[in-house]
Amino acid sequence: MRSPTSDRHDISCWVLTDGKAGDETQCLGVVEALGLEPEIRRVAPRAPFAWLMPRGPIDPREAPDRPGSPIAPPFPDLLIASGRRAIPYVRAVKRASAGRTFTVILKDPRTGPTAADLIWVPDHDRLRGPNVVATLTAPHRISARRLAEARTALDPRIAALPRPRVAVLVGGDSRHHRFSAADQARLLDGLHDLAACGNALAITASRRTPASLLEVLRGLADGPDRFLWDGRGDNPYLALLAGADAILVTADSANMIGEAAATGAPVMVFEPSGGHPKIRSYLDALAAHGAVRPFSGRLEAHAYQPLDSTPEIARAIQAALDRHRAAA
């Protein structure tokens, strides 16, 4: 179970992104592991400034001394940021605070290791340096504590499904993957095979899921012992993971795969068309840990230690922040 890495409550903290859910969620996962209460700050640079990021300047309209600025003082002790558009604002806060704010960037900032006091990247990224922390999986909010709480009072929509339950996490088209018509048919056939073997299906789609694939998933969910969350009503994502005996996840989302691997449930990965060497390296490393296997159309049980890199990242941040404050 995660626990705060410090008993102190005197650390002020910002989470800084351009509002992208994935970036903000990673930041919040780390902040929660640190035991801090953050202020959420979101930048919204205009063109042409947004085009020049991460190397260019901030939008002058959002400078610290401008009304309504997302980086208006008082500046925090700790700033955790993610996303290309946030990088210039991290630099701006560091300058405006005269170096007092300790800055952290999650994911490669594309401007080198000097972009922040500490940078986290996944193992399959190349960026390295004395201030760079690399882990197998990305930070997230699926902690052992939250999973245990969700299991204690499982969402009725999931609890109503008989066991074994398979959580099906469906992403969509991305920079490196495309769900072709053949991929969609292959996924649907595999899901029918799972259901035919007596497995209940708890399915969630994403904003990127192609409309044609979402339509066939709706049709599949009309059968018995099946549930689909298609964006309407409360998102039962945590309950899907907490209540799953196994998890099927599509390979287009490294974040979803990492979150699935935090549960300790067997994880099966469906790979649509495309791919990338970094994704291949990531999946191979997870397979070596015993966490994932390719989806073959049937339920495959395999045991492994749940993977959650978030506490490790939080500990690295806390240690570096302590050194920074001691030297101030």
Side-chain angles (χ1 to χ4, degrees):
M1 181 178 294
R2 298 187 200 185
S3 61
T5 56
S6 172
D7 291 331
R8 294 173 301 169
H9 299 283
D10 62 337
I11 300 173
S12 58
C13 177
W14 288 0
V15 162
L16 182 71
T17 71
D18 67 359
K20 288 188 177 65
D23 290 338
E24 195 164 279
T25 294
Q26 287 189 347
C27 295
L28 289 172
V30 171
V31 170
E32 288 166 2
L34 285 164
L36 302 177
E37 294 290 338
E39 287 186 47
I40 307 298
R41 301 289 184 108
R42 295 175 180 141
V43 301
R46 303 164 296 175
F49 305 103
W51 302 341
L52 303 174
M53 295 176 177
R55 291 177 175 80
I58 68 171
D59 184 337
R61 182 188 61 176
E62 296 187 318
D65 59 349
R66 297 296 295 273
S69 168
I71 56 170
F75 299 112
D77 300 310
L78 173 64
L79 184 156
I80 301 179
S82 184
R84 176 177 63 87
R85 292 181 181 87
I87 306 307
Y89 294 85
V90 172
R91 295 194 297 263
V93 170
K94 191 69 177 178
R95 287 193 303 268
S97 70
R100 188 184 70 80
T101 296
F102 187 81
T103 56
V104 177
I105 293 173
L106 304 182
K107 298 186 300 190
D108 188 345
R110 307 300 181 189
T111 58
T114 61
D117 295 306
L118 188 141
I119 297 169
W120 167 83
V121 295
D123 279 343
H124 54 262
D125 272 6
R126 294 181 179 179
L127 184 67
R128 293 294 185 271
N131 66 323
V132 178
V133 175
T135 62
L136 175 54
T137 57
H140 53 69
R141 304 181 75 185
I142 309 300
S143 66
R145 176 186 59 78
R146 292 187 73 206
L147 287 167
E149 290 173 352
R151 291 179 184 123
T152 300
L154 194 62
D155 187 308
R157 294 170 292 178
I158 309 304
L161 298 173
R163 306 184 79 162
R165 302 186 197 108
V166 180
V168 182
L169 316 181
V170 181
D173 294 340
S174 66
R175 184 166 49 173
H176 301 301
H177 288 97
R178 289 291 181 271
F179 281 79
S180 67
D183 294 328
Q184 295 182 33
R186 184 163 53 92
L187 176 59
L188 185 62
D189 286 345
L191 292 175
H192 277 302
D193 289 343
L194 281 178
C197 292
N199 298 293
L201 305 180
I203 309 166
T204 182
S206 83
R207 291 184 296 273
R208 295 182 292 106
T209 304
S212 55
L213 178 53
L214 184 57
E215 193 59 34
V216 298
L217 291 175
R218 283 197 181 104
L220 176 69
D222 284 340
D225 301 333
R226 301 169 199 180
F227 166 80
L228 168 68
W229 186 74
D230 59 2
R232 293 174 290 190
D234 294 336
N235 188 345
Y237 185 72
L238 179 62
L240 261 70
L241 294 177
D245 297 297
I247 301 170
L248 168 59
V249 58
T250 58
D252 55 281
S253 174
N255 287 342
M256 286 199 307
I257 296 169
E259 289 165 347
T263 67
V267 179
M268 303 168 289
V269 178
F270 175 88
E271 297 190 47
S273 297
H276 188 276
K278 286 185 178 181
I279 298 172
R280 182 75 271 146
S281 175
Y282 176 56
L283 292 175
D284 288 347
L286 287 171
H289 183 81
V292 309
R293 292 183 182 178
F295 179 50
S296 62
R298 64 179 184 273
L299 185 62
E300 297 189 33
H302 50 278
Y304 63 95
Q305 276 298 112
L307 278 170
D308 184 2
S309 299
T310 312
E312 178 184 349
I313 298 166
R315 286 191 293 270
I317 293 171
Q318 184 70 63
L321 175 61
D322 287 345
R323 291 192 295 270
H324 174 78
R325 299 181 90 194

